[in-house]
Amino acid sequence: MKIVNIIVVMLTTTLILSGCVNQPKPGSPESVALIQQKKEEKAQEINQAKIDALPDWAKIPPESDLAIYGVGSSTHSDMSTARRAAIVKAQAQIAENLDSRLSQSTKVWFDESTFDATGNSDKVEQAIKTVVAETNLRGLKVKEVKFAATGSKVTAYALIEYPIGDANRALVIQIQKDAALAQEARKNDAFKELEAEVERLKKS
């Protein structure tokens, strides 16, 4: 029995010593590499947790002819701060997408020769920039906000909607400020319909 106990003690001691031998010395290149490896593994775990927590609408944002959607995310120790930051990022995404959508609208309202006429394209571009800048203040609607625990912090995901009709109406108002440009646009029925809608809203 004593011999068995001695063998167990010897094996345990050997394993402990073996573990110590395999540990790199502090400050050595091997130790630095091991620390870096552990940091990368931890970062990978955090990123994977964020991916796993992504809502479906964040993976594939909605698409519609009636609205533009923006998705934003933010990680913070404070939940409300994470929410606000996620919404701001979603707004920025909408602003990026809105420019191209409004450019498509103007191509419908003006024929090619009119749009390319001296100064017209520059005026329309400036009108679009004005509308895009204003969307940060008006017309945006928070559709969804989801939260996920990310280690000791919270990740917020936000989905924001901006009606394309609101953007088109705002663009009509900007174009109306230039009488010559508005006159050219009125040759298109789609523009005239939107213009009439703007006037109705002003009276209501």
Side-chain angles (χ1 to χ4, degrees), residues 19 52 59 62 84 116 135 151 155 161 178 180 192-193:
D52 293 341
K59 296 174 184 176
R84 287 195 299 271
D116 292 336
T135 62
T155 298
E161 179 185 76
D178 186 304
K192 286 192 292 186
E193 289 175 7

Side-chain angles (χ1 to χ4, degrees), residues 126-186:
Q126 185 55 50
I128 291 172
K129 287 181 179 178
T130 300
V131 171
V132 171
E134 289 178 351
T135 62
N136 290 329
L137 301 174
R138 301 182 303 189
L140 295 171
K141 181 179 179 182
V142 178
K143 294 287 290 182
E144 297 271 0
V145 176
K146 298 288 184 183
F147 296 97
T150 309
S152 61
K153 298 184 178 181
V154 174
T155 298
Y157 302 92
L159 174 67
I160 291 183
E161 179 185 76
Y162 184 73
I164 191 63
D166 288 357
N168 283 335
R169 284 189 289 271
L171 184 56
V172 166
I173 292 171
Q174 288 299 319
I175 290 176
Q176 286 176 333
K177 294 178 180 179
D178 186 304
L181 198 62
Q183 184 176 356
E184 290 298 328
R186 288 184 187 116

